[in-house]
Amino acid sequence: MKVEQKGHTTIIKDTQGNIQSFLEKVTNQHNSYKAQNLILDVSHDTNTTLKDIKLFSDLSKTHKKGKKSFVLVASAIDFNAVPTSLLVVPSLQEAHDIIEMEEIERDLGF
């Protein structure tokens, strides 16, 4: 697990290729990140399935209650099949763009 801070955003990259253990580690350390926008990058693991992505639903809901963004970066999945409660994008740049848009929406009171 590699953690990187960029301004008001924390990027956490899965380096082991095990979605389940990655989710457990992030969930256990969530209090450290709850004041930051969060990008979880599992894009290097090409075996990630939609089922794996759905495992992040509870963590996403918990994080969004704190009025912060939660974005997953994944590749090789059907983005149209992802539940609307999760934000999943194919690249880190798109994740940063979404967070920027959500920050603007929060500033405007949406």
Side-chain angles (χ1 to χ4, degrees):
M1 192 164 94
K2 181 181 172 194
V3 180
E4 187 180 329
Q5 294 276 123
K6 282 193 177 179
H8 51 75
T9 302
T10 299
I11 304 158
I12 305 173
K13 294 183 181 188
D14 177 23
T15 55
Q16 295 177 340
N18 184 334
I19 296 292
Q20 194 69 32
S21 71
F22 178 63
L23 175 59
E24 286 176 25
K25 286 178 187 175
V26 173
T27 302
N28 290 339
Q29 297 175 12
H30 183 254
N31 281 340
S32 309
Y33 312 119
K34 67 182 181 183
Q36 296 274 313
N37 295 309
L38 202 52
I39 298 174
L40 301 184
D41 186 356
V42 296
S43 61
H44 82 282
D45 185 0
T46 55
N47 297 324
T48 304
T49 64
L50 185 60
K51 185 179 177 185
D52 294 332
I53 296 298
K54 288 180 179 179
L55 294 173
F56 290 90
S57 290
D58 290 339
L59 182 59
S60 174
K61 287 176 192 169
T62 302
H63 195 74
K64 287 179 180 178
K65 283 181 185 175
K67 302 286 187 215
K68 293 295 178 184
S69 300
F70 183 92
V71 184
L72 280 163
V73 179
S75 58
I77 64 161
D78 180 6
F79 292 97
N80 294 324
V82 173
T84 56
S85 61
L86 285 172
L87 274 171
V88 184
V89 295
S91 73
L92 273 175
Q93 182 59 51
E94 288 179 79
H96 285 290
D97 292 346
I98 286 196
I99 287 174
E100 202 172 305
M101 288 189 300
E102 287 186 346
E103 284 285 322
I104 291 168
E105 288 175 356
R106 283 192 285 270
D107 288 346
L108 294 173
F110 289 104

